[in-house]
Structure formats: structure tokens, C-alpha cells
Amino acid sequence: MVSKQSLLLTQNDIHTPDIHPDWFKKEYSTFSQIVTKKDFPCYFGQKAENKGELRYSYISHNDWSTLPDTLSDFLTLFNKPKLTRHGLFVFVEPEKEEKSIEYYRAYFWEILQYLHHKDPSSWPDDQPADPEHYLWDYHFQQEPIFVFGNAPAYKQRKTRDLGNSLILGFQPRRIFEGLEGTEPGGAMSREKVRKRVEEWDKLPTHPDISHYGDPEHNEWKQFFIGDDAEPIEGKCPFSVKK
């Protein structure tokens, strides 16, 4: 059952006439053109886009109200017996003038904090609430989710520039089953993707990129990496309130 405020969209839904804003349809078109390029580094995302397995949504600057129900409905897709590696991409209304990486990063974390505030569930008792703990992960409805930001301010790391919108990618941890960094197949697949990313970006893999569970790693830092090869400094902007 679809929630009342949900705006969870398939590819076909996006092109429904006169329903969705033109900016969103334009930005989705740019996104799709980029990720379906033959040499796009993330072949998992490329395959999912080509097969119609990705889901989409959008928010304006002054209205995020559909987002909690949208994410909730997206998570119900994983209740089916057969695992499909769905991903959700949320497009934020583009700025009139392009902003800095710091601006988009702050906006990104503000959205995740908003979702946490609207989360009907409490933070899981058996999961770290402190982002500085190496096993911390973002949760919504007690589901662990990897979230990553893309923005037009990325000039060097072009794999993170998917158009004029700030775009949040949501990937429940379930889709990484068999692809974990501690599994041989997962380690091999990720290494291939990272090499392709280095070729696209002409930069070494960002020092904050690792795999979940690495005791020398903070998961939150790879949610919104820098446009360089320098580790992110400072505290995580997110805090658990419930």
C-alpha cells in the first residue's frame, strides 16, 4: 500500500504529462544520460538504470514533506522474497546559481537530519548512535542505509556530478549482500569499480572511501566526499535524537 504522502517514482512515472516539475524531468534526463554511458564507472548503477530497477523522487527547497513516506515505501520493496538491488535517487531543486561543495554537503546532512526527525522508529538499540564509531551507519525505520551525495560543485570527481541538482542516493545495506568488502567477490567488484572511477576522475580513490566495518574508517565520511584527495576533518554534522 502506497503511503499518502509518498512520491516514489519509476522511470515511466517521471514522464507522466503535467504532473512533475520540468526541472525534475530535465535533471533526470541528464542523470540517465550520464549513468548509462558505456564507460560509466559504476556498472551496478548502470545496470539498474538500464533494467528500470532504480526509483526516483524529488523535493523543492521549501517542501520536503513527501520524503519520509517516499523512503518508507522504497524500503518496502525489499520485503519481496527475491532480492532486487533497487536504489533510490532523490533530486533536490537546483539552485539558481551553483554553490560550493560545503554548501551542498551541509544541505545533504540537513536532509538526513530531517528524515531522522520524521522517522517513526527509534534508533536501533544494538547499533552505535555515535558517527565516530566505526560500525555506525545511517538508519531509517531501523533499516541500515548507505547514503551518498552528488552535486554540480564536483569539478574533479566527475563521477559525483550528475547534473545541476544535489542528488541523494539511498542504498539499503541489503543490496550489498554477497558484495561486502570482507567477501572475496565483493572486494574484487569494488576494486574494479574504484579503478574505473580513478580513470574517470583522474584522481586516486578518495582516502575516506573504504568498506563498512573497517575499524580504521568512519562510514559517515564517505557519504559526501571532498572534491580532492584530502581526508575530511571535523565532526559528523548528524546526531541521533531519538
Side-chain angles (χ1 to χ4, degrees), residues 35-93:
V35 301
T36 56
K37 286 183 179 179
K38 188 176 181 180
D39 59 342
F40 185 70
C42 183
Y43 46 75
F44 297 114
Q46 182 184 78
K47 181 180 178 182
E49 174 68 7
N50 284 328
K51 292 179 68 176
E53 293 175 349
L54 298 183
R55 295 295 182 268
Y56 318 90
S57 194
Y58 60 88
I59 55 175
S60 65
H61 292 309
N62 57 7
D63 186 2
W64 302 355
S65 61
T66 60
L67 194 51
D69 281 347
T70 297
L71 183 53
S72 178
D73 281 350
F74 171 68
L75 294 176
T76 66
L77 297 177
F78 298 89
N79 295 335
K80 298 177 181 179
K82 182 181 178 182
L83 174 65
T84 300
R85 301 184 195 278
H86 296 291
L88 170 64
F89 287 85
V90 176
F91 294 71
V92 179
E93 180 184 0

Coordinates of all heavy atoms in Angstrom, one line a residue, residues 35-93:
V35 N 24.7 8.1 -16.4 CA 24.9 6.8 -15.8 C 24.8 5.6 -16.8 O 25.3 4.5 -16.5 CB 24.0 6.5 -14.6 CG1 24.2 7.6 -13.5 CG2 22.6 6.4 -15.0
T36 N 24.2 5.9 -18.0 CA 24.1 4.8 -19.0 C 25.2 4.9 -20.0 O 25.2 4.1 -21.0 CB 22.7 4.9 -19.7 OG1 22.5 6.2 -20.2 CG2 21.6 4.5 -18.7
K37 N 26.1 5.9 -19.9 CA 27.3 5.9 -20.8 C 28.0 4.6 -20.6 O 28.2 4.1 -19.5 CB 28.2 7.1 -20.4 CG 27.6 8.4 -20.9 CD 28.6 9.5 -20.6 CE 28.1 10.9 -21.0 NZ 29.1 12.0 -20.7
K38 N 28.5 4.1 -21.8 CA 29.2 2.8 -21.8 C 30.3 2.7 -20.8 O 30.5 1.6 -20.2 CB 29.7 2.5 -23.2 CG 30.2 1.1 -23.4 CD 30.6 0.8 -24.8 CE 31.1 -0.6 -25.0 NZ 31.5 -0.8 -26.4
D39 N 31.1 3.7 -20.6 CA 32.2 3.7 -19.7 C 31.9 4.2 -18.3 O 32.9 4.5 -17.5 CB 33.4 4.4 -20.3 CG 33.2 5.8 -20.6 OD1 32.0 6.2 -20.7 OD2 34.1 6.6 -20.8
F40 N 30.7 4.5 -17.9 CA 30.4 5.0 -16.6 C 30.9 4.0 -15.6 O 30.7 2.8 -15.7 CB 28.9 5.1 -16.4 CG 28.5 5.8 -15.1 CD1 28.8 7.1 -14.9 CD2 27.9 5.1 -14.1 CE1 28.4 7.7 -13.7 CE2 27.5 5.7 -12.9 CZ 27.8 7.0 -12.7
P41 N 31.7 4.5 -14.6 CA 32.4 3.6 -13.7 C 31.5 2.6 -12.9 O 32.0 1.5 -12.6 CB 33.1 4.6 -12.7 CG 33.2 5.8 -13.5 CD 32.0 5.9 -14.3
C42 N 30.4 3.0 -12.4 CA 29.6 2.1 -11.5 C 28.6 1.3 -12.4 O 27.5 1.7 -12.8 CB 28.8 2.9 -10.5 SG 27.8 1.9 -9.4
Y43 N 29.1 0.1 -12.8 CA 28.3 -0.7 -13.6 C 27.1 -1.3 -12.9 O 26.1 -1.7 -13.5 CB 29.1 -1.8 -14.3 CG 30.0 -2.6 -13.5 CD1 29.6 -3.6 -12.6 CD2 31.4 -2.4 -13.6 CE1 30.5 -4.3 -11.8 CE2 32.3 -3.1 -12.8 CZ 31.8 -4.1 -11.9 OH 32.7 -4.8 -11.2
F44 N 27.1 -1.3 -11.5 CA 25.9 -1.7 -10.8 C 24.8 -0.7 -11.0 O 23.6 -1.1 -11.3 CB 26.2 -1.8 -9.3 CG 27.3 -2.9 -9.0 CD1 28.5 -2.5 -8.5 CD2 27.0 -4.2 -9.2 CE1 29.5 -3.4 -8.2 CE2 28.0 -5.2 -8.9 CZ 29.2 -4.8 -8.4
G45 N 25.1 0.6 -10.9 CA 24.1 1.6 -11.1 C 23.7 1.7 -12.5 O 22.5 1.9 -12.8
Q46 N 24.6 1.5 -13.4 CA 24.3 1.5 -14.9 C 23.3 0.4 -15.2 O 22.3 0.6 -15.9 CB 25.6 1.3 -15.7 CG 25.4 1.4 -17.2 CD 26.8 1.1 -17.8 OE1 27.2 -0.1 -17.9 NE2 27.4 2.1 -18.3
K47 N 23.6 -0.8 -14.7 CA 22.7 -2.0 -15.0 C 21.3 -1.8 -14.4 O 20.3 -2.0 -15.1 CB 23.4 -3.2 -14.4 CG 22.6 -4.5 -14.6 CD 23.3 -5.7 -14.0 CE 22.5 -7.0 -14.1 NZ 23.1 -8.1 -13.5
A48 N 21.3 -1.2 -13.2 CA 20.0 -1.0 -12.6 C 19.2 0.1 -13.3 O 17.9 -0.1 -13.5 CB 20.2 -0.6 -11.1
E49 N 19.8 1.1 -13.8 CA 19.1 2.1 -14.6 C 18.6 1.5 -15.9 O 17.5 1.8 -16.3 CB 20.1 3.3 -14.9 CG 19.5 4.4 -15.8 CD 18.4 5.2 -15.2 OE1 18.0 5.0 -14.0 OE2 17.8 6.0 -16.0
N50 N 19.4 0.8 -16.6 CA 19.0 0.2 -17.8 C 17.9 -0.8 -17.7 O 17.0 -1.0 -18.6 CB 20.2 -0.5 -18.5 CG 21.2 0.5 -19.2 OD1 20.8 1.5 -19.6 ND2 22.4 0.1 -19.2
K51 N 17.8 -1.5 -16.5 CA 16.8 -2.5 -16.3 C 15.5 -1.9 -15.6 O 14.6 -2.6 -15.4 CB 17.3 -3.6 -15.4 CG 18.4 -4.5 -16.1 CD 18.9 -5.5 -15.1 CE 17.9 -6.6 -14.8 NZ 18.5 -7.7 -14.0
G52 N 15.6 -0.6 -15.3 CA 14.4 0.0 -14.7 C 14.2 -0.3 -13.2 O 13.1 -0.3 -12.7
E53 N 15.3 -0.7 -12.6 CA 15.2 -1.1 -11.2 C 15.5 0.0 -10.2 O 15.2 -0.1 -9.0 CB 16.3 -2.2 -10.9 CG 16.0 -3.5 -11.6 CD 17.1 -4.6 -11.5 OE1 18.2 -4.2 -10.9 OE2 16.8 -5.7 -11.8
L54 N 15.9 1.2 -10.7 CA 16.1 2.3 -9.8 C 14.7 3.0 -9.5 O 13.8 2.9 -10.3 CB 17.0 3.3 -10.4 CG 18.5 2.8 -10.6 CD1 19.3 4.0 -11.1 CD2 19.1 2.3 -9.3
R55 N 14.7 3.7 -8.4 CA 13.5 4.5 -8.1 C 13.9 6.0 -7.9 O 15.1 6.2 -7.6 CB 12.8 4.0 -6.8 CG 12.2 2.6 -7.0 CD 11.1 2.6 -8.1 NE 10.5 1.3 -8.2 CZ 10.9 0.4 -9.1 NH1 11.9 0.6 -9.9 NH2 10.2 -0.8 -9.2
Y56 N 13.0 6.9 -8.0 CA 13.4 8.3 -8.0 C 12.3 9.1 -7.2 O 11.2 8.7 -7.0 CB 13.4 8.8 -9.5 CG 14.0 7.9 -10.4 CD1 13.3 6.9 -11.1 CD2 15.4 7.9 -10.6 CE1 13.9 6.0 -12.0 CE2 16.0 7.0 -11.5 CZ 15.2 6.1 -12.2 OH 15.8 5.2 -13.0
S57 N 12.8 10.3 -6.8 CA 11.9 11.2 -6.2 C 12.5 12.6 -6.2 O 13.6 12.7 -6.7 CB 11.6 10.9 -4.7 OG 10.4 11.6 -4.2
Y58 N 11.8 13.6 -5.7 CA 12.4 15.0 -5.8 C 11.7 15.8 -4.7 O 10.7 15.5 -4.2 CB 12.1 15.7 -7.1 CG 10.7 15.8 -7.5 CD1 9.9 16.9 -7.1 CD2 10.0 14.8 -8.3 CE1 8.6 17.0 -7.4 CE2 8.7 14.9 -8.6 CZ 8.0 16.0 -8.2 OH 6.6 16.1 -8.5
I59 N 12.5 16.8 -4.3 CA 12.0 17.8 -3.3 C 12.3 19.2 -3.7 O 13.3 19.4 -4.4 CB 12.5 17.5 -1.9 CG1 14.1 17.5 -1.9 CG2 12.0 16.2 -1.3 CD1 14.7 17.4 -0.5
S60 N 11.5 20.1 -3.4 CA 11.8 21.5 -3.6 C 12.5 22.1 -2.4 O 12.6 21.5 -1.4 CB 10.5 22.3 -3.9 OG 9.7 22.3 -2.8
H61 N 13.0 23.3 -2.5 CA 13.7 23.9 -1.4 C 12.8 24.1 -0.2 O 13.3 24.1 0.9 CB 14.3 25.2 -1.8 CG 15.5 25.1 -2.8 ND1 16.5 24.2 -2.6 CD2 15.7 25.7 -4.0 CE1 17.3 24.3 -3.7 NE2 16.8 25.2 -4.5
N62 N 11.5 24.4 -0.5 CA 10.7 24.8 0.7 C 9.7 23.7 1.0 O 8.7 23.9 1.8 CB 9.9 26.1 0.3 CG 9.1 26.0 -0.9 OD1 9.0 24.9 -1.5 ND2 8.5 27.1 -1.4
D63 N 9.8 22.5 0.5 CA 8.9 21.4 0.8 C 9.6 20.0 0.7 O 9.8 19.5 -0.4 CB 7.6 21.5 -0.1 CG 6.6 20.5 0.3 OD1 6.7 19.8 1.4 OD2 5.5 20.4 -0.4
W64 N 9.8 19.5 1.9 CA 10.4 18.1 2.0 C 9.4 17.1 2.5 O 9.8 16.0 2.8 CB 11.6 18.1 2.9 CG 12.7 19.1 2.5 CD1 12.8 19.9 1.4 CD2 13.9 19.4 3.3 NE1 14.0 20.6 1.5 CE2 14.7 20.3 2.6 CE3 14.4 18.9 4.5 CZ2 15.9 20.8 3.1 CZ3 15.6 19.4 5.0 CH2 16.4 20.3 4.3
S65 N 8.2 17.5 2.6 CA 7.2 16.7 3.3 C 6.9 15.3 2.7 O 6.5 14.4 3.4 CB 5.9 17.5 3.4 OG 5.3 17.7 2.1
T66 N 7.2 15.1 1.4 CA 6.9 13.8 0.8 C 8.1 12.8 1.1 O 7.9 11.6 0.9 CB 6.7 13.9 -0.7 OG1 7.9 14.5 -1.3 CG2 5.5 14.8 -1.0
L67 N 9.2 13.3 1.5 CA 10.4 12.5 1.6 C 10.3 11.3 2.6 O 10.7 10.2 2.3 CB 11.6 13.3 1.9 CG 13.0 12.7 1.6 CD1 13.1 12.0 0.2 CD2 14.1 13.7 1.8
P68 N 9.8 11.5 3.8 CA 9.7 10.4 4.8 C 8.9 9.2 4.2 O 9.3 8.1 4.3 CB 9.2 11.0 6.0 CG 9.5 12.5 5.9 CD 9.4 12.8 4.5
D69 N 7.7 9.5 3.7 CA 6.8 8.4 3.2 C 7.4 7.8 2.0 O 7.3 6.6 1.7 CB 5.4 8.9 2.9 CG 4.6 9.1 4.2 OD1 5.0 8.6 5.2 OD2 3.5 9.7 4.1
T70 N 8.1 8.6 1.2 CA 8.8 8.1 0.0 C 9.8 7.1 0.3 O 9.9 6.0 -0.2 CB 9.4 9.2 -0.9 OG1 8.4 10.1 -1.3 CG2 10.1 8.7 -2.1
L71 N 10.7 7.4 1.3 CA 11.7 6.5 1.7 C 11.1 5.2 2.4 O 11.6 4.1 2.2 CB 12.7 7.2 2.7 CG 13.9 6.4 3.2 CD1 14.7 5.8 2.0 CD2 14.8 7.3 4.1
S72 N 10.1 5.4 3.1 CA 9.4 4.3 3.8 C 8.8 3.3 2.7 O 9.0 2.1 2.8 CB 8.2 4.8 4.6 OG 7.5 3.7 5.2
D73 N 8.2 3.9 1.7 CA 7.7 3.0 0.6 C 8.8 2.3 -0.2 O 8.6 1.2 -0.6 CB 6.7 3.8 -0.3 CG 5.4 4.0 0.3 OD1 5.0 3.4 1.3 OD2 4.6 4.8 -0.3
F74 N 9.9 3.0 -0.3 CA 11.0 2.4 -1.0 C 11.5 1.2 -0.3 O 11.8 0.2 -0.9 CB 12.1 3.5 -1.2 CG 13.4 2.9 -1.7 CD1 13.5 2.5 -3.0 CD2 14.5 2.9 -0.9 CE1 14.7 2.0 -3.5 CE2 15.7 2.4 -1.4 CZ 15.8 1.9 -2.7
L75 N 11.6 1.3 1.0 CA 12.1 0.2 1.8 C 11.2 -1.0 1.8 O 11.7 -2.1 1.9 CB 12.3 0.7 3.3 CG 13.4 1.7 3.5 CD1 13.4 2.1 5.0 CD2 14.8 1.2 3.1
T76 N 9.9 -0.8 1.5 CA 9.0 -2.0 1.4 C 9.3 -2.8 0.2 O 8.9 -4.0 0.1 CB 7.5 -1.6 1.4 OG1 7.3 -0.8 0.2 CG2 7.2 -0.7 2.6
L77 N 10.0 -2.3 -0.8 CA 10.4 -3.0 -2.0 C 11.3 -4.2 -1.6 O 11.3 -5.2 -2.4 CB 11.1 -2.2 -3.0 CG 10.3 -1.0 -3.6 CD1 11.3 -0.2 -4.5 CD2 9.1 -1.4 -4.3
F78 N 11.9 -4.1 -0.5 CA 12.9 -5.2 -0.1 C 12.2 -6.3 0.7 O 12.9 -7.2 1.2 CB 14.1 -4.6 0.6 CG 14.8 -3.6 -0.3 CD1 14.5 -2.3 -0.3 CD2 15.9 -4.1 -1.1 CE1 15.1 -1.4 -1.1 CE2 16.5 -3.2 -1.9 CZ 16.2 -1.8 -2.0
N79 N 10.9 -6.2 0.9 CA 10.2 -7.2 1.6 C 9.8 -8.4 0.7 O 9.3 -9.4 1.2 CB 8.9 -6.7 2.2 CG 9.2 -5.6 3.3 OD1 10.3 -5.6 3.9 ND2 8.3 -4.7 3.5
K80 N 10.1 -8.3 -0.6 CA 9.7 -9.3 -1.5 C 10.8 -10.5 -1.4 O 11.9 -10.2 -1.1 CB 9.7 -8.8 -3.0 CG 8.7 -7.7 -3.2 CD 8.8 -7.2 -4.6 CE 7.7 -6.1 -4.8 NZ 7.8 -5.5 -6.2
P81 N 10.4 -11.7 -1.6 CA 11.3 -12.9 -1.5 C 12.5 -12.8 -2.3 O 13.6 -13.1 -1.8 CB 10.4 -14.1 -1.9 CG 9.0 -13.6 -1.8 CD 9.0 -12.1 -2.1
K82 N 12.5 -12.3 -3.5 CA 13.6 -12.2 -4.4 C 14.3 -10.8 -4.2 O 13.6 -9.8 -4.4 CB 13.3 -12.4 -5.8 CG 14.5 -12.4 -6.8 CD 14.0 -12.6 -8.2 CE 15.2 -12.5 -9.2 NZ 14.9 -12.6 -10.6
L83 N 15.6 -10.8 -3.9 CA 16.3 -9.6 -3.7 C 16.6 -8.9 -5.0 O 17.2 -9.5 -5.9 CB 17.6 -9.8 -2.9 CG 18.5 -8.6 -2.8 CD1 17.8 -7.5 -1.9 CD2 19.9 -8.9 -2.2
T84 N 16.1 -7.7 -5.2 CA 16.4 -6.9 -6.4 C 17.2 -5.7 -5.8 O 16.8 -5.1 -4.8 CB 15.2 -6.4 -7.1 OG1 14.4 -7.5 -7.6 CG2 15.6 -5.5 -8.3
R85 N 18.3 -5.4 -6.5 CA 19.2 -4.3 -5.9 C 18.7 -2.9 -6.3 O 19.4 -2.2 -7.1 CB 20.6 -4.6 -6.4 CG 21.2 -5.9 -5.9 CD 22.6 -6.1 -6.3 NE 23.1 -7.5 -6.3 CZ 23.4 -8.1 -5.2 NH1 23.5 -7.5 -4.0 NH2 23.8 -9.4 -5.2
H86 N 17.5 -2.6 -5.8 CA 17.0 -1.2 -6.0 C 17.8 -0.1 -5.4 O 18.4 -0.3 -4.3 CB 15.6 -1.1 -5.5 CG 14.6 -2.0 -6.1 ND1 14.1 -1.9 -7.4 CD2 13.9 -3.1 -5.6 CE1 13.3 -2.8 -7.7 NE2 13.1 -3.6 -6.6
G87 N 17.9 1.0 -6.0 CA 18.5 2.2 -5.4 C 17.5 3.3 -5.5 O 16.7 3.3 -6.5
L88 N 17.5 4.3 -4.6 CA 16.6 5.4 -4.7 C 17.5 6.7 -4.9 O 18.4 6.9 -4.1 CB 15.8 5.6 -3.4 CG 15.0 6.9 -3.2 CD1 13.9 7.0 -4.3 CD2 14.4 6.9 -1.8
F89 N 17.1 7.5 -5.9 CA 17.8 8.8 -6.1 C 16.8 9.9 -5.9 O 15.8 10.0 -6.6 CB 18.5 8.8 -7.5 CG 19.7 7.9 -7.6 CD1 19.5 6.5 -7.9 CD2 20.9 8.4 -7.3 CE1 20.6 5.7 -7.9 CE2 22.0 7.6 -7.4 CZ 21.9 6.2 -7.7
V90 N 17.1 10.8 -5.0 CA 16.3 11.9 -4.7 C 16.9 13.2 -5.2 O 18.1 13.6 -4.8 CB 16.1 12.1 -3.1 CG1 15.2 13.3 -2.8 CG2 15.3 10.8 -2.6
F91 N 16.2 13.9 -6.1 CA 16.7 15.1 -6.7 C 16.2 16.3 -5.9 O 15.0 16.5 -5.7 CB 16.2 15.2 -8.2 CG 16.7 14.2 -9.1 CD1 16.3 12.8 -9.0 CD2 17.7 14.5 -10.1 CE1 16.8 11.8 -9.8 CE2 18.1 13.5 -10.9 CZ 17.7 12.2 -10.8
V92 N 17.1 17.3 -5.6 CA 16.8 18.5 -5.0 C 16.7 19.6 -6.0 O 17.5 19.7 -6.9 CB 17.8 18.9 -3.9 CG1 17.4 20.2 -3.2 CG2 17.9 17.7 -2.9
E93 N 15.7 20.4 -5.9 CA 15.5 21.6 -6.8 C 16.8 22.3 -7.0 O 17.5 22.7 -6.0 CB 14.4 22.5 -6.3 CG 14.2 23.7 -7.1 CD 13.2 24.7 -6.4 OE1 12.7 24.4 -5.3 OE2 12.9 25.7 -7.1

